[in-house]
Amino acid sequence: MKILVTGGAGFIGANFIKYMLKAHPEDELVCVDKLTYCGNLESLEEELKNPRMRFLKTDICDTEAVDKVFAETRPDMVVHFAAESHVDRSIEDPLIFVKTNIIGTQNLLEAARKYGIKRFHQVGTDEVYGDLPLDRPDLFFTEDLPLKPSSPYSASKASADLLVQAYHRTFGVPVTMSRCSNNYGPYQFPEKMIPLMIANALADKPLPVYGEGINVRDWLYVEDHCKAIDMIIRNGRDGEVYNIGGHNEMRNIDIVKLICKEVGKPESLITFVTDRKGHDLRYAIDPAKIGRELGWKPETMFADGIRLTIKWYLDNRSWWERIVNGEYKDYYERMYKNR
Ligand code: NAD
Ligand code: DAU
């Protein structure tokens, strides 16, 4: 089987490629990525040497370029990760989110329809459901909930999901969709909360917690997400949505304190800063459907996953130090200066 992976030089995409090359020695992978600020070929250094792996630098917003990739490579399946993925950036500059996440997905769906594929898998987010109240721990996101996105990021991802559903219904493109909770693990760009806090703590810099730090996220180790997608593309039912999450809800402040403890830094580094606009309160996935239908369950306990993640950032300083010392500095200055 030949699988086209979009956004494979990003955090989850790179982890997915590593997982798939090991788990399926019979498959070939084609990675398509524009290499935006968060796409990094260093994350795929070993994999690029593998004869079963091909990399094509392509912008999914470029209709002709996407068509050419499909014409040349004729994939059996598409696993679509490529996106603008950071909520704070979508508040600063929504348009690129609309372009990449909506137009980019449309271009891929059109090519999938034209060339025919066995499966188009849309990697979605739980943020499309909006948020849950902090005082109702009995409520969870299920697949049948209406889409109620809060940020330009989640609105663009919800739009992409709707296009995927439309291509399934109208043109019969075989699709599956997943909506996952917050991932953490190796190779995550240090603008996201966990790697940002690890990198800042190691450099004795302030740890900027938004608001009171009481917002809750449902954290999942990235490899567990990759396994879930692998199960869905092979055995998931055509046209279905599968929620993926770890039943591992934690308040931001508790994670930041845990990181301080694990890296041996004082909690006095924690600085409460102005809250994110429209900040979603709580995400919590009900993963019963994927458990029941495909037998998936999260395997990595948070206590183990966070240690593995911190160890990775300690062992791979050059990977992220180059990022935080490069143009990311301007972003950080812009985003955090007046908070
Ligand atoms: P990321 O930002 O680390 O990586 C995104 C990748 O997409 C990068 O390699 C980037 O270069 C590429 N890309 C961006 N624009 C492109 C374009 N126009 N053409 C081609 N490539 C382009 O993101 P991530 O955290 O790995 O997320 C991957 C996917 O998973 C996204 O669709 C995101 O919405 C979804 N998701 C992420 C999480 C999470 O916690 N990180 C959770 C649920 C779902
Ligand atoms: O739920 C899935 C989503 O998880 C994905 O779809 C997104 O691509 C991914 O970025 C993530 O979104 P979040 O907004 O939840 O992740 P982020 O790491 O940006 O923030 C996690 C929480 O930490 C959130 O409540 C905001 C808070 N935060 C974040 C940053 C960057 C801080 O308190 N301080 C920070 O500096």
Side-chain angles (χ1 to χ4, degrees):
M1 183 136 62
K2 192 186 273 184
I3 306 177
L4 182 81
V5 180
T6 73
F11 163 48
I12 309 176
N15 278 285
F16 182 73
I17 286 174
K18 288 173 198 298
Y19 174 79
M20 293 295 277
L21 284 174
K22 279 204 200 102
H24 298 287
E26 71 287 3
D27 288 345
E28 278 176 67
L29 301 183
V30 178
C31 170
V32 161
D33 200 298
K34 183 184 175 184
L35 301 179
T36 65
Y37 76 94
C38 63
N40 189 348
L41 278 186
E42 277 178 48
S43 309
L44 294 173
E45 211 177 320
E46 281 309 305
E47 292 67 28
L48 289 168
K49 295 178 200 152
N50 191 319
R52 292 188 290 119
M53 159 91 186
R54 188 171 169 198
F55 175 77
L56 297 171
K57 186 171 186 298
T58 311
D59 181 352
I60 57 165
C61 297
D62 181 338
T63 313
E64 278 172 28
V66 169
D67 187 278
K68 192 160 165 259
V69 166
F70 275 72
E72 266 178 38
T73 63
R74 302 306 295 256
D76 300 296
M77 284 197 188
V78 176
V79 181
H80 177 32
F81 293 95
E84 287 294 334
S85 69
H86 191 37
V87 173
D88 291 320
R89 286 186 192 255
S90 83
I91 295 166
E92 208 196 20
D93 179 13
L95 185 58
I96 183 71
F97 284 73
V98 171
K99 286 184 181 153
T100 303
N101 299 355
I102 306 178
I103 308 284
T105 303
Q106 157 72 22
N107 282 338
L108 291 162
L109 284 165
E110 195 50 36
R113 168 165 98 99
K114 178 170 165 191
Y115 290 96
I117 49 160
K118 294 196 181 86
R119 177 62 58 89
F120 183 99
H121 182 76
Q122 165 73 357
V123 180
T125 170
D126 61 354
E127 298 198 12
V128 298
Y129 298 121
D131 63 354
L132 297 165
L134 292 175
D135 60 354
R136 289 292 307 274
D138 55 315
L139 296 181
F140 295 93
F141 292 143
T142 49
E143 290 82 356
D144 53 359
L145 283 181
L147 305 190
K148 215 169 151 253
S150 312
S151 70
Y153 161 68
S154 50
S156 67
K157 290 292 291 185
S159 308
D161 284 11
L162 295 179
L163 280 169
V164 174
Q165 277 173 6
Y167 267 70
H168 176 64
R169 170 81 188 244
T170 304
F171 302 117
V173 175
V175 304
T176 40
M177 282 166 275
S178 51
R179 295 185 180 138
C180 190
S181 61
N182 286 61
N183 284 213
Y184 68 101
Y187 301 101
Q188 187 167 28
F189 194 86
E191 67 189 351
K192 303 285 166 58
M193 201 259 279
I194 286 186
L196 183 150
M197 298 299 173
I198 296 172
N200 281 14
L202 291 174
D204 296 304
K205 288 202 325 234
L207 307 177
V209 173
Y210 297 168
E212 296 172 70
I214 54 172
N215 303 63
V216 170
R217 298 290 183 265
D218 177 0
W219 293 94
L220 183 70
Y221 193 62
V222 62
E223 199 176 59
D224 283 333
H225 185 189
C226 296
K227 283 185 191 167
I229 294 174
D230 186 25
M231 286 177 163
I232 297 170
I233 60 175
R234 282 161 213 279
N235 299 314
R237 285 186 293 132
D238 189 22
E240 291 292 313
V241 177
Y242 294 90
N243 282 352
I244 308 171
H247 271 313
N248 179 52
E249 289 177 55
M250 291 183 73
R251 299 189 314 167
N252 295 337
I253 185 68
D254 298 328
I255 294 196
V256 179
K257 285 183 178 169
L258 181 66
I259 290 173
C260 288
K261 190 164 161 236
E262 290 290 333
V263 301
K265 298 289 178 174
E267 287 182 11
S268 56
L269 286 176
I270 295 174
T271 315
F272 292 95
V273 301
T274 310
D275 211 350
R276 174 184 279 174
K277 287 192 178 95
H279 197 173
D280 281 337
L281 293 171
R282 170 176 169 250
Y283 302 147
I285 282 279
D286 175 358
K289 179 174 173 181
I290 187 170
R292 193 174 58 242
E293 288 193 16
L294 304 177
W296 178 87
K297 59 176 181 352
E299 289 169 25
T300 313
M301 301 291 290
F302 189 78
D304 300 329
I306 195 73
R307 269 186 212 124
L308 286 173
T309 305
I310 291 172
K311 183 173 181 326
W312 188 86
Y313 281 87
L314 280 168
D315 293 347
N316 293 276
R317 276 177 176 269
S318 63
W319 183 91
W320 58 270
E321 278 181 346
R322 249 198 299 281
I323 295 170
V324 296
N325 293 327
E327 67 178 25
Y328 174 76
K329 261 189 181 159
D330 297 337
Y331 161 82
Y332 198 86
E333 176 75 359
R334 251 189 359 261
M335 201 57 96
Y336 291 90
K337 193 175 62 184
N338 295 321
R339 272 195 123 116

